[in-house]
């Protein structure tokens, strides 16, 4: 299955973050809500911050403050690119509704079909993605 590859995020000193054409990480969804509410929640322009070259939106001021206190805890793995694609040595955009939390870390996927593949061997795909990240950005 071919993936529509994401435009490269702006290079930063550290691993870049996938963002949409408006510069929003996770397409404007609140990264903290995945952990606190157990579901994707659209963020608000009333509660946003800049981090790693992207705009992060939150559903509440409390969620924004939690993120600012420990962004690495809440930010998706692999800069928010599709985790399965990174395991395959590529990058791809994500759908915020295709997600999982594994060992306290947020992983996002390209679509439902890709997420089904991801779920077939999550530990194996995480190991492969960890090996590939961030060098997949150089391709």
């Amino acid at each position: 299955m071919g993936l529509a590859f994401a435009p490269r995020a702006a290079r930063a000193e550290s691993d870049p973050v996938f963002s949409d054409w408006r510069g929003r990480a996770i397409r404007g969804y609140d990264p903290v809500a995945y952990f606190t509410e157990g579901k994707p929640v659209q963020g608000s322009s009333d509660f946003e911050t800049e981090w790693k070259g992207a705009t992060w939106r939150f559903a509440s001021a409390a969620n924004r403050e939690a993120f600012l206190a420990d962004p690495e805890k809440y930010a998706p793995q692999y800069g928010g690119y599709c985790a399965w694609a990174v395991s395959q040595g590529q990058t791809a955009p994500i759908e915020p509704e295709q997600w999982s939390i594994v060992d306290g870390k947020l992983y996002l996927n390209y679509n439902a079909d890709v997420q089904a593949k991801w779920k077939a061997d999550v530990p194996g795909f995480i190991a492969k993605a960890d090996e590939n990240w961030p060098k997949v950005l150089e391709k």
Side-chain angles (χ1 to χ4, degrees), residues 28-52:
Y29 280 70
D30 181 340
V32 176
Y34 289 99
F35 295 90
T36 60
E37 297 188 36
K39 64 182 181 181
V41 175
Q42 186 70 50
S44 167
S45 60
D46 293 337
F47 310 110
E48 60 183 33
T49 192
E50 299 293 317
W51 184 67
K52 287 194 174 186

Side-chain angles (χ1 to χ4, degrees), residues 51-65:
W51 184 67
K52 287 194 174 186
T55 300
W56 298 78
R57 287 190 172 179
F58 305 89
S60 68
N63 282 9
R64 181 182 58 200
E65 295 310 311

